[in-house]
Amino acid sequence: MKKINATIIEQKYLIEDIFSMWLKCPDITDEAHSGQFVNLYTKDSSRLLPRPISICDVNREEGLLRIVYRTAGEGTRQFSTLKSGDNIEVTGPVGNGYELNASKAVLMGGGIGIPPMLLLAKELSEKGLSRDDIAVVLGFRDGTFLVDEFEKIATVYISSDSGSVGIKGNVIDATKHYDITGDMIYACGPKPMLRAIQQYSSENSIKTQISLEERMACGIGACLACVTRTTEVDEHSQVKNRRICVDGPVFYAEEVEL
Amino acid sequence: MKKINATIIEQKYLIEDIFSMWLKCPDITDEAHSGQFVNLYTKDSSRLLPRPISICDVNREEGLLRIVYRTAGEGTRQFSTLKSGDNIEVTGPVGNGYELNASKAVLMGGGIGIPPMLLLAKELSEKGLSRDDIAVVLGFRDGTFLVDEFEKIATVYISSDSGSVGIKGNVIDATKHYDITGDMIYACGPKPMLRAIQQYSSENSIKTQISLEERMACGIGACLACVTRTTEVDEHSQVKNRRICVDGPVFYAEEVEL
Amino acid sequence: MDNQNLVDMSVDFCGVSMKNPVTVASGTFGSGMEYKDFVDLNRLGAVTTKGVAITPWEGNPTPRIAEVYGGMINAIGLQNPGMDIFVKRDLEFLKDFDTRVIVNVCGHSVAEYVEAVERLSEVSGVDLLEINVSCPNVKEGGIAFGVDPSALNNITKEIKKKAKQPVIMKLSPNVTDIAEMARAAVDGGADALSLINTITGMKIDINRRTFAVANRTGGLSGPAVKPVAVRMVYQVANAVSVPIIGMGGISSAEDALEFIMAGASMVSVGTANFFDPYATIHIIEGIEAFMKKEGIKSLDEIRGCVK
Amino acid sequence: MDNQNLVDMSVDFCGVSMKNPVTVASGTFGSGMEYKDFVDLNRLGAVTTKGVAITPWEGNPTPRIAEVYGGMINAIGLQNPGMDIFVKRDLEFLKDFDTRVIVNVCGHSVAEYVEAVERLSEVSGVDLLEINVSCPNVKEGGIAFGVDPSALNNITKEIKKKAKQPVIMKLSPNVTDIAEMARAAVDGGADALSLINTITGMKIDINRRTFAVANRTGGLSGPAVKPVAVRMVYQVANAVSVPIIGMGGISSAEDALEFIMAGASMVSVGTANFFDPYATIHIIEGIEAFMKKEGIKSLDEIRGCVK
Ligand SMILES: Cc1cc2nc3c(=O)[nH]c(=O)nc-3n(C[C@H](O)[C@H](O)[C@H](O)COP(=O)(O)OP(=O)(O)OC[C@H]3O[C@@H](n4cnc5c(N)ncnc54)[C@H](O)[C@@H]3O)c2cc1C
Ligand SMILES: Cc1cc2nc3c(=O)[nH]c(=O)nc-3n(C[C@H](O)[C@H](O)[C@H](O)COP(=O)(O)OP(=O)(O)OC[C@H]3O[C@@H](n4cnc5c(N)ncnc54)[C@H](O)[C@@H]3O)c2cc1C
Ligand SMILES: Cc1cc2nc3c(=O)[nH]c(=O)nc-3n(C[C@H](O)[C@H](O)[C@H](O)COP(=O)(O)O)c2cc1C
Ligand SMILES: Cc1cc2nc3c(=O)[nH]c(=O)nc-3n(C[C@H](O)[C@H](O)[C@H](O)COP(=O)(O)O)c2cc1C
Ligand code: FES
Ligand code: FES
């Protein structure tokens, strides 16, 4: 893990409150893979803690890393005002990331959980999975983003809360509706969605990797702020708790209690 | 008094750690006169209190106000990084300012106390005092600044701690050396200099207006942080204390205890 | 439009009706005079005046303040012009405005407090009394009344015997158990409580190797103290049943709402006035906007709602 | 060049020599392992480990932290893996480094503390013990040992009976009189004191109308608390004569020097590690640079120099 002062190469407004940003940080892209995240630091000296944001894409040759983020509060709002050429402090890559052990993969992304699915889809594609073997189920609030990028390498299914795009409902509804199957589910999104997926995958006995979120302080494994409850006693913590930042953020669905 | 978001028109490095900045703030220049100051606010949300800086010059027609300041700490260092076109929050004008009641004036400025003397000299000149009736005694550490601007309207005498420019010594040494006289001394500078001037003017029975500095919080008269001891009980405070920000910063030398 | 008219920001505080829950923290707003270029005093729920004693106090030597991260330290030392001029000048000035007046009182001994309160009972234009018990108790070697429950209980009782207006006891945060202090004041008859006063702090100027304020220690205030203040307001609101004025680092409507949800009936804006002279107005407007957005018709709906 | 060689940053702390006065605040640095990508642990005066109890603790529910102005609130709840694995894994890891090890200890009762201290007496690689008395005392209804002078005095005595290493009692700032607490610990036999632990605070999420940390209250730390911490270190340094580890909001060499000039022998860097993983190194280098600039040959020259 490194802390570096990255240069912003591109900042782009996508939709609603969602932005895409490319950062130059070769030291990080060298090691980065899907499911991991980076910590971004604000320039506002009254907001000190790093903001964890998932890696959405990387261009290893050019040392570029992409994040797609929602302006949820003051910190991310500040990130959205940065322009290409500006700098931002970044540590990463953090966390374990997804295991690329699927032969027929179902990727489920909800809301701001969609971005990390893009790099995952690319990595699965690079591993040899065909477009048909990568089903991507995206759950939007209302408007869509990143869809065309997914379509290049995967079969995309869409649901939305409003029904304005795709089928009305959530990613599980879409999965059932389109009868999507596979031998591994990969998921990222809000907790209620992950709970539903956890149940779905247990009922249907499909191995599932989910990416969790929790409030973080250090973002690097030291403070024990970001734990999730686990079903078994964890070797590191000696209790039924694991750190999302470094032991995760990706867990097998049956390992954790949501 | 107003608080406005002023635009920076010019930022110029003068010498050592001293900068000159022109601000567009017509609401303030309309009322501003020499000896008053403005409060500048940093953009750094961990440094909340305003920084008081004397008014060095005004261009009323164009609504421009000039300050000349030393980068004493983090706040002023940040001001020095602002570029023309940037904005800065300003309240002002604050304080009473100098009384323009001299017929032969001696202006004594030491270090970062020199800038306010410039507007004072201009106002005296506008009131009809000739070049010969405005003696300006400037005390520098080492290098000089603003001297040519004074020379346009006043007779300038220089001293420096190092002796590198003018006579070696302080403004009192220069006043004695050049045998400078007048019916009113106007002074601004560090406390030891003001103490020496207070003594000099009492020994020589010359009326003297001095501008004081103190740590300020509100900068507008409300908090009682910035008091100076006075020789008499003050009407407002009912004790021997006056607020430098609004009852000063200019006092007659005999009114205050330094 | 209809909805807008339904937002009611008014507060009944110890029987005194305030048009909104926002006042200023004593000592940060003078008597309002100094802020009149920025703030229409008629818009404030109340003006709380700088601490006044029966006779003029000189206060501490300078420097009296130092800036710290997200706040400041002050050791003004309660400089004040004394009761006579305060009544004649400051209270008179405030009579021209349609706002409530809370007079903050200090003293060196129980007798001085009581004398000040008696004087204020005789004059008009005083809606509430706020008693600053963080003053040095000269009889007890300079220890503040506000850090000893029995001293606090006693001074409250003595003041209540003479006071004509409702009495707000202003609590010091420099204690192990704020709820115990609150109970001591309420048992003594306090009609309301306000908190927090400043937290004792220190700054050292490492280059000059000296204290940054002449008094060595001073009171920390500003955004830095807010989490401590919210916690104490919550603890007190759950320990006693008198109304509370919450303060400590409030600089936005969101901050003010935190205190209200923790249990405060009113809020005071202090140090924020120094870095945003319009802070009070921004906060009043922000609370109103929040109420409209969330469909809150009266502050009763959210006061102490977080349990 | 000559001058540079004369700067001596070493500290003798209770007979344990440290190469410099900088350690880390317990709980903010794991056992050092997590920071090894950023910090060469050999450069630290000491590593202070996360609080460890005799058996594993689960800690509090999440969210465990909230960000506040200039700092954070935490209610981790002292999650720890228990003594066995700590000794086998964390202490073993630290043996590879040329730095001192301060083990921070917690417990729910006097017996638990004493048992932990006894275990640590038997193992190698522990230079000093730091006792976190801000833990909930289960026998006394969850009140922390650290806010009651007699409980503090008693627990110190019991620990001292068994401890083989020097004992640092870590004081809670949530008290009326920190000097009284310091004296209680020193009277109980404390070899040194460290302060401050976190200040109890609260944050309310006004949109969700809920507490920002699940535990309701949590400990405030970070730059926001520094003035309170400096004040308390100064008060304690002037009340007792044992050495002090100062902490609370230190994020720069200037901050560290404030604590040293207030009377601290060592300083701990806590929350700053979270926003600047290199903070400890920057601080060590900054202190050295300051000493060179000011011609200070040993920290003895400036320790407690501001009176
Ligand atoms: C492992 C991980 C990966 C993430 N990936 C992304 C991503 O790819 N894109 C994206 O837009 N967001 C992502 N998030 C969430 C992102 O970290 C938060 O939205 C961000 O920190 C909010 O900061 P702020 O200053 O804008 O908001 P704040 O003002 O701090 O808070 C605003 C809101 O955001 C929530 N929030 C704040 N911090 C966190 C946090 N650490 N985790 C979860 N919620 C938080 C708060 O509950 C609050 O409601 C991720 C979070 C985690 C833990
Ligand atoms: C009425 C008045 C007029 C002034 N006019 C000018 C001017 O024209 N040009 C100029 O360069 N400076 C002027 N000053 C001083 C200026 O306000 C300080 O240098 C500035 O506030 C320092 O801010 P900082 O953030 O850079 O430094 P900080 O980091 O806050 O402090 C750095 C140093 O500056 C000193 N300082 C900080 N604040 C004040 C203050 N309010 N008053 C005096 N000293 C302070 C501190 O003692 C410290 O040593 C004036 C001060 C006053 C009170
Ligand atoms: C400069 C200054 C002067 C103060 N004077 C008084 C006072 O006279 N009486 C009093 O009860 N509190 C006084 N206080 C405390 C404030 O009223 C308030 O309790 C405290 O500052 C916390 O609020 P804040 O963080 O919003 O400033 C003073 C505070 C400051 C900063
Ligand atoms: C996340 C976190 C965990 C902490 N855990 C412990 C602990 O286990 N034992 C302890 O004595 N103090 C603990 N503390 C308190 C710190 O050691 C330190 O006393 C406090 O944070 C003040 O220093 P700072 O402002 O530099 O962080 C913890 C603090 C934080 C922020
Ligand atoms: S955020 Fe600190 S351990 Fe995960
Ligand atoms: S700075 Fe507040 S009264 Fe002068």
Side-chain angles (χ1 to χ4, degrees), chain B residues 223, chain C residues 25-28 50-51 72 74 76 78 104 130 132 170 196-198 221-222 225 247-250 268-272 274:
Chain B
C223 73
Chain C
S26 176
T28 66
K50 167 76 184 160
M72 58 180 280
N74 92 79
I76 307 296
L78 294 168
N104 182 280
E130 180 179 60
N132 176 6
K170 182 165 179 180
I196 62 172
N197 213 314
T198 55
S221 64
V225 307
M247 74 192 91
I250 296 176
S268 303
V269 181
T271 303
F274 301 163

Side-chain angles (χ1 to χ4, degrees), chain C residues 47-64:
Chain C
V47 169
T48 306
T49 56
K50 167 76 184 160
V52 64
I54 193 75
T55 54
W57 289 13
E58 295 225 323
N60 287 326
T62 57
R64 289 178 167 183

Side-chain angles (χ1 to χ4, degrees), chain C residues 221-235:
Chain C
S221 64
V225 307
K226 198 188 66 175
V228 179
V230 172
R231 182 260 295 184
M232 290 190 165
V233 165
Y234 175 83
Q235 288 176 324

Side-chain angles (χ1 to χ4, degrees), chain C residues 5-279:
Chain C
N5 299 330
L6 291 176
V7 169
D8 177 11
M9 296 183 76
S10 72
V11 178
D12 178 308
F13 193 86
C14 299
V16 179
S17 66
M18 314 272 184
K19 59 178 75 152
N20 64 55
V22 178
T23 183
V24 291
S26 176
T28 66
F29 207 73
S31 308
M33 233 177 277
E34 288 77 9
Y35 277 90
K36 67 179 184 316
D37 288 359
F38 302 105
V39 175
D40 174 1
L41 302 183
N42 296 304
R43 295 189 62 186
L44 301 180
V47 169
T48 306
T49 56
K50 167 76 184 160
V52 64
I54 193 75
T55 54
W57 289 13
E58 295 225 323
N60 287 326
T62 57
R64 289 178 167 183
I65 67 115
E67 190 181 47
V68 296
Y69 206 109
M72 58 180 280
I73 294 176
N74 92 79
I76 307 296
L78 294 168
Q79 180 186 326
N80 78 84
M83 194 56 80
D84 291 343
I85 191 96
F86 174 78
V87 169
K88 258 191 298 202
R89 182 182 61 199
D90 301 277
L91 280 184
E92 279 308 310
F93 165 80
L94 286 168
K95 283 184 184 160
D96 288 345
F97 297 92
D98 174 27
T99 183
R100 296 297 183 175
V101 175
I102 304 175
V103 175
N104 182 280
V105 175
C106 53
H108 289 120
S109 61
V110 174
E112 280 188 25
Y113 278 99
V114 170
E115 203 183 332
V117 165
E118 284 188 290
R119 267 300 299 285
L120 288 164
S121 302
E122 296 157 12
V123 303
S124 64
V126 179
D127 294 297
L128 295 137
L129 302 175
E130 180 179 60
I131 311 300
N132 176 6
V133 286
S134 300
C135 309
N137 178 346
V138 287
K139 294 241 172 85
E140 299 287 342
I143 305 253
F145 293 92
V147 297
D148 172 0
S150 72
L152 178 62
N153 179 268
N154 177 54
I155 196 171
T156 310
K157 276 187 189 146
E158 296 302 321
I159 286 169
K160 276 299 287 179
K161 283 183 195 158
K162 303 292 179 181
K164 294 271 180 6
Q165 297 91 349
V167 171
I168 308 161
M169 298 303 289
K170 182 165 179 180
L171 302 181
S172 165
N174 300 297
V175 296
T176 308
D177 185 352
I178 194 75
E180 180 190 20
M181 300 305 293
R183 281 187 293 262
V186 171
D187 288 348
D191 300 294
L193 299 172
S194 62
L195 67 159
I196 62 172
N197 213 314
T198 55
I199 307 181
T200 309
M202 177 182 286
K203 179 175 174 174
I204 288 175
D205 181 333
I206 61 164
N207 294 308
R208 301 193 182 140
R209 300 191 195 173
T210 170
F211 302 101
V213 295
N215 190 52
R216 300 184 177 195
T217 60
L220 178 65
S221 64
V225 307
K226 198 188 66 175
V228 179
V230 172
R231 182 260 295 184
M232 290 190 165
V233 165
Y234 175 83
Q235 288 176 324
V236 169
N238 287 284
V240 297
S241 55
V242 301
I244 293 168
I245 307 182
M247 74 192 91
I250 296 176
S251 63
S252 68
E254 289 71 31
D255 294 340
L257 287 159
E258 266 197 78
F259 282 83
I260 292 170
M261 291 189 185
S265 296
M266 294 198 59
V267 292
S268 303
V269 181
T271 303
N273 294 305
F274 301 163
F275 54 88
D276 175 11
Y278 305 105

